[in-house]
Every structure is written in C-alpha cells, then in structure tokens.
Amino acid sequence: MDEIWFYLSNQYETLQIQTSLVAQQGQQWVIAWLTHARQLLYKLYNDQYMQNTKDIIQNILAWIERTCKELQFQYYNAHFTVKGFYRQIENLYNNEVSRRELAFCLAGLFVGTLIGYYAGINWGHISHHMHHMKAIICHHYIGIEGVSMIEDAEMPVIQRSNELLIQVKAASVNVVDIKICYGYSKIYRRLLNSGRHKELPITLGRDCTGVVVGIGQSVINFDIGDEVFLAVPSWAPGTMAEYIVVPETQVVKRPKLFTFEASASLPYSGCLAWDALVNRSTIQEGNAKGKRVLIYGGNTPVGCILTQLVKLWGGHVVTMCRQNAIPVSKALGADDVIPLNNSDIVKELQLHDKFDAIFYTGGQSIDEYILRKRLVPYGSYVTTVPEQLTSDSFGFIFGSIFAGCVRIKLLIQYMFGFNMHQWKEGSKINVTCLQALCDLADADQLQIVVDRVYGPHNIEQALHHIIDPNAIVTSNHCQIPSKITKFYTSQKCN
C-alpha cells in the first residue's frame, strides 16, 4: 500500500513539473510576441507615411479647435436685430446673389423642409405585414356608396408594450360612421393618427367586443382569453375588422349577462349618454330625484340609455319618438311618450310641465328653439348628435395654420402627461365610464335591445337602416368572428 501511494505521489509531482514548464514556455512566447508587435508599431509610427498621416490628423484637429473658438466668440458677441437681419437679406438680394439664385435657394429650402418633415413622420410606419384580414372600410368620401368589405386589409400587430391585440367578435356602426363616409373628422384623422391610418381607406366602427389574443410586455390588467369591449373616437382607426390593436387604457372587460353582439352596442353610445347626463347637464351622477327630463329621440341608441339612467337615478322621463317605437320606450322606463307624428309638437309639449334638462339625440329634425322654450330657468339643453367640424372645410392655408395649432397643443399635452385621445368626443370615452356601464349591465339595471342583424356583405343596407326614420333605433352593429363566415351587423337599442 505504501508503494502504491509513493508511486502516485511521484506521478503527481511529475505532472506539476510538466505543467509548470508548459506555463513558463507559454509566458515566454506571449512576451516575445508582444515585444515584436511593439517594435513593429514603433517602426510604423516613425515611418514617413505614418508621420504624414499624423500631421494631417493634427492639422484637422487644430482647424476644428480654431473653428469652435471662432463660433463661440461669434455667439457671445453677436447682437441679432430684425433690422440688421433684413439689411443682410437686402445686401444678398441686391449685390452678392441674383434674384434667380435667391428664389431657387428659398424654393429649395421650402421643398426640402416639406420632404424632410413628411419623410420623418412616415418613415417609421412603412408596413411590412404579410398577414391579411377582412374589414369593412370606406375608400372614398362619397357617402355609403364608398363603403365595402375587403379581404386583404393589413392585420395589425402590437408595437408598444401597453397594447392589446383583440380578435373582434362584434363591432358597431353608429350615426357618426355615416358622417365619416362623407369626410367627417378627416383633418383630425390626418393629424392624430400615424402611418396608413392618416388617410383613406378608413375602417368603420366606433365600438366593439372581442377576445384578447395578444398582450404587450407591460400589460398588467388583462390576460389572453379575456372578453373585453371598448370604444374609439371618430378620428381613430375603426373597429369593424377581424383584429384590432389598442392600448389597455381604453379597454374594459365586457358585461357577462349579454352576448358579444348585445354588448357591442354599449360602449360608444353609452359613453356619449353618460357624458351628456353627468358632465353637460344639471343632473348629478346617481341623483336625478325631482328632475324632469325630456329626451327627443328616445328610440336612438343614446336615447335608450339616457332613459334608463335617468329612471335609475330617480328622475321623471318624457321621451319623444315615432309611433312604432313607443312600446320600446315605455318598456325601458319612460313615464310618458310624445309621439312624433303629424300632430302639433308645440301643442303637445305645452301639455307637459317644463323640464330641468332636455336632450336632443337625433332622429326627426326639429327647431332647437321649440325645445329650449320648454326649459325651466337655468335648465340645460344638450345635443348628442355629431357636431359640425369647421376644420373639415379648411383649405390649404387655414388647414396648415390649424394643423400647427393642433401640433402645438399636442406637444403641450405630451409635456404635461395628458392622453392624446382626449380630442372631441374622445374626451367623453374613458374606462371609468365604460366600467360604470358594465357594472350596471351586469347588475341587470341596464337593458340592451337588438333590433336587426345584417350580414357583412349587406353593410350598405345596414348603413341605410341607420338613417331610416322608421327604424326603432338608428344604429347598427356587427358581429365579426375570426373567419367572418358569420360576420353580422346587428341593430341595437342603446
């Protein structure tokens, strides 16, 4: 045993000696290589060619240093005056350059600035998507005739960490979509969107329900498989497509008591009704006791929700609608209904006491003065129909000025952390309102009425039904499964 141990010890010592010799030889080789490399670099540095290169580099650095010092001196000693600036321009114009050269220079600066600006804002939005989907779009501002369903729309992808990819199950078409087909909000669309969403074609639809199929890295409130609903303003990309991408701050989990189709009618019209009632009238949220309310257009989507909210909060509701919509209006809680037929509206209104709040939600046109006369002192008159946008009729000059003002305001909003979506009716669409409506629907305190269902290829018929004065309600909605074989448009009463 001792002999074996002695043999192993000798072998271990021999291995240590051999390892030490190899390490020493390696160290000597590295030192020799570094010495050779240093000599080579020293030789190159002292070579005439390298010396010339070094001189050139030193001269360039010296010139840059002198130029910086001169610019610094000019900066601290310059005294800019408008008069002096004009004098310099005049000297250039009269003496140093010809008028033609100056004109070409200014034209070049202007054109170059425009090209650079538009290239800068659109460079990062060139689409490289290979996947397509079906969507209902408006491809010309000529009205309903410019609307069709396409099968090769680009499928959106998540680009920001807070975005959700939603497979749309039901998307709505509202009265504002008819106006969009005629160019409504086209200036805001060009200023507030990016990439292909700035111009035609436009995807229709202002609200929808769907299922979350993709989430960004920073999304914390939603998981894949969640059933949600949402609304978007008139200038934003529409919802009537198989898939959409939106920030999670615009989305709420949908009501569970209703189907996808029924829930799709709630977000956009519900937000408009909530804003009109809570933010624009004399009625306080949750308290309408002792208030008399007149709703002109009680059969419209907004009118149906207003009727239910006022009754839920303890108010007295009188609605005005066509004869065939009276049963629906009464079923939703209206205390009295004034039919819009050939009778004298003024005399019909005189049979009722004056109102604390009057809401005009669309439908048959009427002189606003007739309704305002029926208000009590300090009562509120609120209209929920899409307002006329002066910006849509601006020409190039006024449009450019308007665009500059909007961009300045956007910059200020960005600096103070405001949401860019708070423009026009975008300020009325928020998750707080959506969640309140969802809670009411889940508590069975808010009813949804479906009037009609349309197939996707009948989108024009559905849009025409919106403006039909004999319709129970004047908006349609679409169910959009992933393969669109059951792509529906369903008429809702809220």
Side-chain angles (χ1 to χ4, degrees), residues 66-120:
R66 290 195 305 271
T67 303
C68 291
K69 290 182 179 179
E70 184 178 352
L71 290 174
Q72 186 178 11
F73 176 79
Q74 294 291 340
Y75 174 79
Y76 285 109
N77 291 276
H79 298 285
F80 176 81
T81 61
V82 177
K83 186 176 181 180
F85 175 74
Y86 283 132
R87 187 179 295 112
Q88 292 294 332
I89 295 295
E90 184 179 0
N91 291 335
L92 284 173
Y93 184 75
N94 292 327
N95 301 321
E96 299 184 19
V97 297
S98 65
R99 297 182 180 182
R100 183 179 180 182
E101 290 173 338
L102 183 60
F104 275 112
C105 177
L106 295 177
L109 288 173
F110 179 74
V111 174
T113 301
L114 288 180
I115 293 175
Y117 172 76
Y118 284 105

Side-chain angles (χ1 to χ4, degrees), residues 25 109 149 232 281 302 324 329 363 369 385 456 468 473 489:
Q25 290 178 357
L109 288 173
M149 190 188 77
V232 295
S281 76
V302 175
N324 60 336
S329 189
Y369 177 72
V385 299
D468 182 2
V473 285
T489 303

Side-chain angles (χ1 to χ4, degrees), residues 4-73:
I4 295 174
W5 175 256
F6 179 75
Y7 172 77
L8 291 175
S9 298
N10 288 338
Q11 291 295 324
Y12 178 72
E13 290 176 358
T14 303
L15 182 60
Q16 279 186 323
I17 293 172
Q18 291 177 350
T19 303
S20 177
L21 290 174
V22 172
Q24 290 178 0
Q25 290 178 357
Q27 185 178 5
Q28 292 175 359
W29 181 83
V30 170
I31 293 173
W33 185 84
L34 291 175
T35 302
H36 181 70
R38 184 170 63 250
Q39 291 175 352
L40 180 61
L41 291 173
Y42 182 77
K43 182 179 178 180
L44 290 174
Y45 182 77
N46 290 300
D47 186 77
Q48 183 65 34
Y49 176 77
M50 291 299 298
Q51 186 65 33
N52 293 337
T53 303
K54 182 174 68 173
D55 293 340
I56 292 173
I57 294 175
Q58 288 178 347
N59 290 334
I60 292 175
L61 293 175
W63 178 81
I64 293 175
E65 183 179 2
R66 290 195 305 271
T67 303
C68 291
K69 290 182 179 179
E70 184 178 352
L71 290 174
Q72 186 178 11
F73 176 79

Side-chain angles (χ1 to χ4, degrees), residues 38 99 109-110 132 199 217 227 244 282 316 439 449 462:
R38 184 170 63 250
R99 297 182 180 182
L109 288 173
F110 179 74
H132 295 90
E199 303 290 347
Q217 294 180 349
E227 298 179 357
I244 60 171
T282 57
H316 181 90
D439 293 341
V449 181

